[in-house]
Each structure stands twice: as C-alpha cells, then as structure tokens.
C-alpha cells in the first residue's frame, strides 16, 4: 500500500515517530510511508544555526524558512537568523539549508534521492555542519520541511535545538501532488482502474462507485472492496484488491432475491465498526435500491450482509418500500456507532413534498424504527436527495445533499450533534460554496483527521452548480469543521458529456491512518471506449 522509504545509514537503525525512539523497531509504515533513521551517537545540535534559502526560490519556500524559524523560536526560545545563499559560505557554520541553493550541500543531498531510484521524493541529510532539506520539486521540499518539524525529527526545548537524522532520510513522494490552501498537499499515492469496458463487455455503463477498506477483520485488514452501478448487468458487482489497490478482481455479485426484481441501482458498501445486535464488528453490509424489472412500480431499500469478507451475501432486511418510479425510495447511506445502525435515504412517497431525506435506526440490522425526517423543505417542489454523512473531529455530524429545483441543482449541507435530530427540517440547509463557487448534483462528504489541527472536511460532486463547467468539478475542502470552504483541483479529473454521466455520485472512504480513498467514474482512457467510463480509484495522502 505504501512505497518503502530508503534510509542510508552508517550506524544502527532507530525509528522516530512523534518524537519517540524505539530501539527494537527498525521501521514502521504510516500514511506518509516508511521512515527509518540511523542516528549518530550524539544529536546534531542546531542551537547556533542559521537557515539558508535562495531569493530566487518561490515564495512558498521562502515562507517555509520563516515557518521553521517560528517553530524553533516558539519551542526553544532560540530564533535562528534567515540568510540568503548569497551570504558568504562558511563550512564551519551550522546551517539548515532549504531547497535548491548555491550551497554545494544542496546537490550533495540530492544524490541520496538519486541513489534510491525515486522519480519523486525528498531528503533530509546531515552533511558536515549542514542540515539539508531538499526535494525533487518545490512541493516535495515543502512536504519534507513539514515532516522535519512535525514528525519527531526536529526536537526543540530547554533552550536548545537538536535533530537526529543519521546520514540521511529519504522520502518516496512519487505520485501527482495537488497544492491546496493552507500549505497542504494532496498526494496521489496510487491510481488504479478498477473496472472498465472490455472487448468482451463493451456496453458496460458504470456510475455511482463506492469503496471500503477493511479495518475490523484482523489479518484481512487492508483489503479494498469497490462496487458501483453496472447498468447493463442485473447485479451489483464487488471488486476486491489484496495488494493495496494495485490490481482488482471480481469477488462476487449481489442479485435481487425475488423474481421480477432487479438490483443494480445506488449501491453502498460498509464494514461495521461496532457490533449491532447479533452482527459482530467487521460484518460487511451492502445496501441498494431494488426495483421492479418491468415497470418500476415498486422500489425498496434492501440490506445484505456478508460474513466471509464479501465472497457471498445474504439478504438481511428491507428498510423501506415505496410504490413506484415517481413515488420511490432511493440512494441509501449506512452509518453505525454505539450498537446502532442508521440508514439515510431519499423518499418520494411523502404526501406533501416532492422528495425528502429521511433516516431509520435499527438495533439489530433487521428491524427498523419509524422514519425520521432530516430535510423536508417548506417549498414542496424542491427535491433534496443523495445524502452522505460524516462525523467530524469536534463530534458534529455533517450531511451533504443535492437540492434539485434550486438554481437548477445546488449542494446544501447541515450539521448536528445528534444523528436523530437535524433541527427544523423545513429549512433547506446551507448552500455549500467556496469563494462564490458552488457544486451541483450527487455530492459525497468525508472528514479526515489529516491536514491540520481540525482535520480536513472534503466534499466532492458531479458538476459545478449550474453546469457551467465542462471539465467536471473541483473539490471543496474545509479546515474548520465546515464553517468555511476552499476549493482544490479534482484528483481524478474528467469531462462532462452527453453520452455518459461521468462522476455521477463519486465516493470517499477515510482510512484509520487518515489517508483518503476516492473512487469516481471518469472518462475511459482507451480510445475505442472514449464515450464510456471507467471506475477509477485514487489513494490520497494529505501532507
């Protein structure tokens, strides 16, 4: 799942994680990769150091030098001077050199990266009295500076500053890097086509992808399961990867269990993080919209379970049933905590509103309580739908949904501290926007603790509001629990077209290490299938 980080060591290996050394643990794997160090017998004392950069560097690197100076000053009381590389060279001077400079040590440090064979990465190396932080690009250099300050490599306190990098630390940071506001970086660790048209199956139409990474199944943790709508087949198809997302195979199919019904719309796959009734932690659940094959005179929200890691599935329960295509139930979303299972879905059957978002709660996954409204707009013509929910680090729950009928279609959100109480359900919620930019239909949200003190809230969708862009949608992100949003480039870009609904309801999953798995149905790269879509997975590290 992660590329290995090579370390060039002259002494015994010692791991640094969050400032602590483990003598008997030579390496560990985290969301940022494997990091090992070989310290010298004494730490490298930087108390009298100065920070060197180049005036020709971009402003972000010059700002990184200021950030490092501030960090050292705040934590040790020592404020190192920042000087340009044009300042006279003094081999005896203790210096932290950032990025490409005229100092010979900048180039020497990069030899470690070249020796490792990485096409992209960064290095932190002690060369004489110099501590060099450099990378294959400005972005990787900035990432290395952040890790130097935040990952236990640099130690400040008690009136001194020291670091222990042995003869060098090399980070493999290959993969596309997307710059984000707030000096964050979204790095695409891997990108894989999960499912696409083939010569044998050229007519497959793929939308609505979903992903889960197993984290409650012991030695099987790390397996990745991906599904989606495969509209030319009368089944949901489960794809599995056991090699960190490098390759996928078809694991199983889920079909409707009654004659005359078809199951291939609006899938959702979920691993129970806690026991629910007789369902143990780690049970796999799957939900979708099942409909009448011929007339769509009946729709149901059905839940299946798997106790063998998704190899086989059994019907568990029916959450809701409705009368037909114009009065149906759609778009399930599952969430569990504290022994309870919640199912959010869209409901056309409301006698007053065109559509509402509702939820039901179950304590065993079989029996479901009464319907609870989340959004039932005062304007009965509006159609909120396609809900997704995430719990943020401050304990609040955040829900996104599209609002059909308002400015064409525009994404809204609500927040609550109680999953069963969403305030005044007649209120539309808040329009999701960043600097005047809004997104349109089929949203999905997820919160990760990565990216800063308050983590990062991510919202993706099908299109920009009003359909003004032909190149898909940006991601909207928040570093303050949804109080404000900024936009970044979509990690899996696509174009909007008439022949396929690209990016129709993309999916997100946040792993326990804070990394993000993102699935989307995007333009197929093979020219012979240029009007079709491929379900593609991106594993994203937030630096």
């Amino acid at each position: 799942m992660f590329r290995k980080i090579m370390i060039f060591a002259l002494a015994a290996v010692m791991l640094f994680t969050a400032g602590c050394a483990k003598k008997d643990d030579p390496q560990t794997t985290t969301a940022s990769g494997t990091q090992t160090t070989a310290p010298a017998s004494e730490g490298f004392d930087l108390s009298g150091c100065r920070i060197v950069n180049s005036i020709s560097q971009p402003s972000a690197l010059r700002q990184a030098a200021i950030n490092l100076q501030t960090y050292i000053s705040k934590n040790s009381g020592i404020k190192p001077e920042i000087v340009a590389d044009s300042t006279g060279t003094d081999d005896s001077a203790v210096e932290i050199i950032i990025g490409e400079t005229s100092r010979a040590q900048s180039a020497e440090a990069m030899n470690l990266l070249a020796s490792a064979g990485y096409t992209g990465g960064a290095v932190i190396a002690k060369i004489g009295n110099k501590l060099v932080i450099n990378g294959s690009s400005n972005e990787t250099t900035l990432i290395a500076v952040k890790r130097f300050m935040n990952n236990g490599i640099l130690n400040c306190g008690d009136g001194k500053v020291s670091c222990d990098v042995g003869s060098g630390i090399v980070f493999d940071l290959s993969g596309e890097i997307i710059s984000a506001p707030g000096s964050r970086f979204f790095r695409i660790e891997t990108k894989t086509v999960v499912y696409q048209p083939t010569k044998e199956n050229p007519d497959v139409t793929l939308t609505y992808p979903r992903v889960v990474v197993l984290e409650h199944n012991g030695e099987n943790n790390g397996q990745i399961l991906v599904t989606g709508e495969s509209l030319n087949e009368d089944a949901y198809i489960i794809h599995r990867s056991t090699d960190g997302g490098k390759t996928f195979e078809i694991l199983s199919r889920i079909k409707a269990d009654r004659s005359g019904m078809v199951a291939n719309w609006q899938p959702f796959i979920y691993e129970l993080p806690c026991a629910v009734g007789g369902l143990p932690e780690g049970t796999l659940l799957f939900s979708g919209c099942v409909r009448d094959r011929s007339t769509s005179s009946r729709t149901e929200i059905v839940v299946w379970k798997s106790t063998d890691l998704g190899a086989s599935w059994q019907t568990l329960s029916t959450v809701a049933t409705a009368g037909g295509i114009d009065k149906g139930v759609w778009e399930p979303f599952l969430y569990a905590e504290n022994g309870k299972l919640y199912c959010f879905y869209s409901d056309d059957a409301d006698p007053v509103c065109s559509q509402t978002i509702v939820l039901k709660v179950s304590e065993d996954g079989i029996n479901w309580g009464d319907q609870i409204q989340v959004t039932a707009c005062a304007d009965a013509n509006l159609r909120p739908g396609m809900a997704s929910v995430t719990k943020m680090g401050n304990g609040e729950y955040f829900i996104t949904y599209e609002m059909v009928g308002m400015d064409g279609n525009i994404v809204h959100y609500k927040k609550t501290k109680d999953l069963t109480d969403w305030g005044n359900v007649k209120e539309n919620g808040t329009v999701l926007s960043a600097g005047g930019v809004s997104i349109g239909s089929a949203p999905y949200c997820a919160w990760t603790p990565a990216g800063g003190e308050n983590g990062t809230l991510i919202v993706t969708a099908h299109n920009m509001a009003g359909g003004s862009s032909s190149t898909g949608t940006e991601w909207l992100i928040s570093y303050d629990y949804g109080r404000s949003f900024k936009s970044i480039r979509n990690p899996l870009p696509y174009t909007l077209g008439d022949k396929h609904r690209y990016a129709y309801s993309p999916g997100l999953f946040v792993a326990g290490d804070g990394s993000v798995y993102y699935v989307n149905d995007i333009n197929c790269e093979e020219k012979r299938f240029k009007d079709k879509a491929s379900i593609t997975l991106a594993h994203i590290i937030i630096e």
Side-chain angles (χ1 to χ4, degrees):
M1 189 175 299
F2 307 105
R3 294 182 180 268
K4 195 171 185 180
I5 306 305
M6 295 186 65
I7 306 303
F8 296 86
L10 297 179
V13 175
M14 184 176 290
L15 168 70
F16 278 76
T17 304
C20 298
K22 298 181 181 179
K23 294 182 179 179
D24 299 319
D25 188 359
Q27 63 181 27
T28 190
T29 300
T30 68
S32 301
T34 303
Q35 177 183 305
T36 61
T37 73
S41 58
E42 296 181 2
F44 186 36
D45 189 357
L46 299 173
S47 299
C49 74
R50 58 187 185 182
I51 299 172
V52 179
N53 63 4
S54 172
I55 60 173
S56 63
Q57 290 173 346
S59 59
L61 279 177
R62 296 197 300 273
Q63 182 61 48
I66 297 173
N67 294 344
L68 179 56
Q69 179 193 54
T70 302
Y71 180 90
I72 294 173
S73 177
K74 178 180 178 181
N75 289 282
S76 71
I78 298 169
K79 187 174 183 179
E81 181 186 9
I82 299 176
V83 300
D85 58 351
S86 56
T87 302
T89 302
D90 181 355
D91 289 338
S92 65
V94 179
E95 297 177 331
I96 302 176
I97 302 172
I98 298 177
E100 287 297 325
T101 71
S102 60
R103 295 284 199 270
Q105 290 86 357
S106 290
E108 289 181 43
M110 292 302 289
N111 289 335
L112 293 176
L113 193 63
S115 299
Y118 295 148
T119 57
V123 59
I124 303 175
K126 174 187 174 184
I127 303 175
N129 288 327
K130 317 299 179 186
L131 196 288
V132 186
I133 308 174
N134 203 359
S136 59
S137 65
N138 292 330
E139 290 83 3
T140 58
T141 300
L142 288 168
I143 290 171
V145 173
K146 289 180 67 175
R147 291 191 182 182
F148 180 63
M149 290 190 291
N150 299 330
N151 289 0
I153 303 169
L154 177 63
N155 302 291
C156 303
D158 298 327
K160 71 174 187 176
V161 186
S162 65
C163 69
D164 229 340
V165 298
S167 55
I169 304 175
V170 178
F171 304 101
D172 180 11
L173 300 175
S174 55
E176 181 183 359
I177 296 176
I178 300 171
S179 297
S183 299
R184 275 81 162 184
F185 300 94
F186 288 65
R187 180 170 59 85
I188 302 175
E189 181 93 49
T190 57
K191 185 169 70 173
T192 308
V193 174
V194 177
Y195 192 41
Q196 66 180 349
T198 63
K199 183 173 64 176
E200 293 75 24
N201 191 9
D203 297 323
V204 63
T205 301
L206 302 170
T207 63
Y208 218 100
R210 294 291 183 263
V211 59
V212 65
V213 181
L214 301 190
E215 297 188 318
H216 303 272
N217 274 280
E219 63 182 11
N220 296 294
N221 287 348
Q223 291 189 21
I224 305 171
L225 302 180
V226 175
T227 189
E229 290 184 344
S230 181
L231 296 180
N232 70 322
E233 303 180 53
D234 291 346
Y236 299 110
I237 302 177
I238 314 298
H239 306 266
R240 178 180 65 178
S241 174
T242 58
D243 58 7
K246 296 177 183 177
T247 60
F248 282 85
E249 61 179 356
I250 292 178
L251 174 64
S252 59
R253 286 177 166 85
I254 300 175
K255 294 188 175 183
D257 62 358
R258 296 191 306 282
S259 176
M261 302 293 282
V262 61
N264 65 359
W265 278 5
Q266 302 149 11
F268 190 87
I269 189 167
Y270 188 65
E271 181 189 31
L272 280 180
C274 60
V276 176
L279 302 173
E281 176 184 339
T283 302
L284 292 182
L285 300 181
F286 193 103
S287 187
C289 176
V290 178
R291 67 194 188 281
D292 183 274
R293 181 184 299 275
S294 58
T295 64
S296 294
S297 60
R298 179 184 178 91
T299 55
E300 300 176 346
I301 302 296
V302 177
V303 178
W304 293 265
K305 71 171 183 177
S306 174
T307 57
D308 56 8
L309 305 175
S312 63
W313 298 85
Q314 300 81 44
T315 302
L316 179 64
S317 62
T318 298
V319 180
T321 301
I325 195 73
D326 295 323
K327 290 295 180 181
V329 285
W330 324 98
E331 305 152 357
F333 183 99
L334 300 177
Y335 180 83
E337 68 176 16
N338 299 326
K340 296 181 179 181
L341 180 63
Y342 301 78
C343 183
F344 294 79
Y345 60 95
S346 305
D347 182 11
D348 281 348
D350 187 275
V352 176
C353 297
S354 176
Q355 183 166 283
T356 61
I357 295 175
V358 299
L359 71 92
K360 288 185 176 181
V361 185
S362 175
E363 295 186 359
D364 57 10
I366 301 171
N367 302 290
W368 293 88
D370 295 335
Q371 190 181 87
I372 300 170
Q373 288 188 330
V374 176
T375 299
C377 301
D379 182 346
N381 294 314
L382 296 179
R383 290 177 57 83
M386 305 189 80
S388 67
V389 180
T390 189
K391 187 176 184 179
M392 300 183 293
N394 64 351
E396 288 185 318
Y397 302 92
F398 183 90
I399 187 170
T400 57
Y401 45 92
E402 65 180 17
M403 186 71 77
V404 178
M406 176 176 289
D407 295 329
N409 196 346
I410 192 166
V411 171
H412 285 60
Y413 70 89
K414 286 184 176 182
K415 293 187 284 187
T416 185
K417 292 186 177 180
D418 182 349
L419 275 175
T420 60
D421 183 0
W422 293 88
N424 183 357
V425 299
K426 294 299 181 182
E427 293 180 352
N428 295 342
T430 304
V431 173
L432 188 65
S433 63
V437 174
S438 299
I439 51 180
S441 60
Y444 202 99
C445 65
W447 180 87
T448 170
E453 181 180 357
N454 298 326
T456 306
L457 177 63
I458 302 169
V459 184
T460 181
H462 169 58
N463 59 273
M464 304 307 292
S468 59
S469 173
S470 63
T471 56
T473 180
E474 299 171 346
W475 273 15
L476 299 190
I477 59 175
S478 174
Y479 303 134
D480 56 9
Y481 301 123
R483 289 188 287 273
S484 63
F485 285 87
K486 305 177 186 300
S487 63
I488 68 167
R489 179 166 53 86
N490 196 309
L492 291 176
Y494 55 92
T495 60
L496 297 176
D498 297 331
K499 295 185 178 182
H500 186 88
R501 291 188 296 176
Y502 298 109
Y504 186 69
S505 191
L508 297 164
F509 177 86
V510 176
D513 61 12
S515 64
V516 177
Y517 291 80
Y518 172 45
V519 283
N520 208 348
D521 52 302
I522 63 174
N523 305 68
C524 193
E525 292 182 357
E526 290 195 35
K527 291 183 179 180
R528 58 178 170 168
F529 303 124
K530 65 179 181 179
D531 295 326
K532 294 285 187 176
S534 67
I535 290 180
T536 301
L537 168 77
H539 181 207
I540 299 168
I541 311 297
I542 302 178
E543 302 279 4

